[in-house]
Amino acid sequence: DSNTNPMNWIALWLRLIGFALGVSLFGAVAAEGDPVLLTREHVDLQILYAPGTTNDLYLVARDEDQATNYASTNVVLVVRQAGETVIPPGFEVFGEPGSPFWILPASQDPELLYLGVSAEGLPRNVFAEPLSIQLVHVQAPGWFFVWQFDPGGSLDMKMDSRDGIGPADVIHPIVGSHAHFNWGFSSNGFYDVTVRAEGRLVGAATDLSTAATTFRFAVEPLPPAPPEPASLSHVTASAGQLTCKLSGTAGAVYRLQTSPDLVKWEDGPAGTAEESPVPVSVALPLGAGALFLRAVSP
């Protein structure tokens, strides 16, 4: 039941908005279908080096528990509601103290995704240090942050979309190692976070770069899933009424609209979709010529 199981619900939401799928060229390959939802696993955003391929460098989501790599287009990183907290006083860099805030912590919590950044597997003495993972873009309902605490306990911000995105929003992975960070989100909903990894081969004059790679985070609780597009069928005209049958997401309310020319649309009555098509009707204006009808979600 997609209304009670949050994992099925996320998959339904993604299907409805046309989420694009893909698979990794490296490691185990996920089956085609809904994106893989990672919720509690140890996962690293990992840089891969494949000389002679299109980009030479790639960024994937690696499930360390299953030793499986996923292309960014075939995975959703879930921030479960257990990660919700509030911003404490003294941390105004994240927003107003007392405001809701979601964290995937740098220390492992069995209720949450354990997310790091990895350059393990890259050949040593091939890349000139440091490598970089640069924040490129964030499309989200809130702000996105990545940080650590230094040995003195001070906050060491790595990425911060609140103050704009620029060259300072970068992580420097060390070849052959991985590290964990705190990942912060100022609102629930879907975050599309785009990053790019770069590295320079020893003796080279220019950097190798991955394509801009977008990872999707789903921060719970998620907004209501959008209803399926409505369809109208069995259209008849009688006694000054245009009647048809409405199909769509059960329980979703759709508004009928009419137009004489497909340019100007006027609102008509609303109808609620059910498991089976339901009859709906609009008044036919006196002396009307052609009349077009559609159903839209409010």
Side-chain angles (χ1 to χ4, degrees):
D1 181 354
S2 63
N3 292 321
T4 58
N5 185 325
M7 296 301 98
N8 290 341
W9 188 90
I10 296 173
L12 171 63
W13 204 103
L14 293 170
R15 285 201 302 272
L16 292 176
I17 64 172
F19 190 82
L21 299 181
V23 294
S24 175
L25 298 175
F26 309 92
V29 174
E32 290 285 353
D34 293 328
V36 176
L37 307 177
L38 299 177
T39 60
R40 303 182 186 182
E41 296 81 355
H42 176 184
V43 175
D44 290 326
L45 304 187
Q46 184 166 11
I47 303 173
L48 300 180
Y49 178 47
T53 59
T54 302
N55 286 91
D56 290 333
L57 285 183
Y58 299 85
L59 268 171
V60 298
R62 178 170 178 79
D63 180 347
E64 295 289 356
D65 296 337
Q66 301 298 323
T68 301
N69 296 334
Y70 296 102
S72 64
T73 49
N74 199 37
V75 70
V76 177
L77 305 171
V78 180
V79 183
R80 302 180 71 233
Q81 201 158 356
E84 183 177 358
T85 183
V86 296
I87 299 172
F91 288 87
E92 286 79 5
V93 65
F94 297 118
E96 186 71 25
S99 299
F101 199 69
W102 287 255
I103 299 175
L104 293 178
S107 56
Q108 192 160 13
D109 182 329
E111 293 300 313
L112 296 170
L113 192 68
Y114 186 40
L115 185 61
V117 170
S118 175
E120 291 177 322
L122 293 181
R124 293 187 180 274
N125 303 316
V126 171
F127 286 91
E129 302 280 6
L131 303 175
S132 67
I133 296 179
Q134 180 74 49
L135 183 62
V136 175
H137 181 69
V138 176
Q139 182 168 336
W143 297 310
F144 170 75
F145 305 88
V146 181
W147 75 95
Q148 291 176 321
F149 289 97
D150 65 24
S154 297
L155 189 147
D156 180 13
M157 189 71 76
K158 303 296 184 181
M159 295 180 178
D160 177 358
S161 70
R162 187 185 183 197
D163 63 357
I165 297 173
D169 296 293
V170 64
I171 296 171
H172 291 296
I174 299 173
V175 171
S177 69
H178 82 281
H180 283 268
F181 300 83
N182 302 285
W183 307 74
F185 309 83
S186 69
S187 175
N188 60 312
F190 288 95
Y191 284 67
D192 288 334
V193 177
T194 302
V195 291
R196 179 185 291 109
E198 293 184 349
R200 182 169 298 189
L201 298 177
V202 173
T206 58
D207 290 342
L208 298 178
S209 176
T210 69
T213 306
T214 301
F215 292 94
R216 170 157 287 187
F217 292 83
V219 182
E220 297 179 345
L222 296 173
E228 296 177 356
S231 62
L232 301 174
S233 60
H234 302 87
V235 181
T236 59
S238 177
Q241 295 286 315
L242 190 65
T243 302
C244 58
K245 290 187 175 181
L246 168 71
S247 300
T249 300
V253 177
Y254 299 89
R255 181 163 297 281
L256 298 182
Q257 293 183 333
T258 57
S259 172
D261 55 10
L262 295 176
V263 176
K264 182 180 179 181
W265 292 89
E266 294 187 0
D267 284 336
T272 301
E274 299 178 4
E275 294 294 339
S276 300
V278 295
V280 290
S281 61
V282 296
L284 281 171
L286 292 175
L291 187 68
F292 299 93
L293 181 66
R294 70 182 183 185
V296 298
S297 56

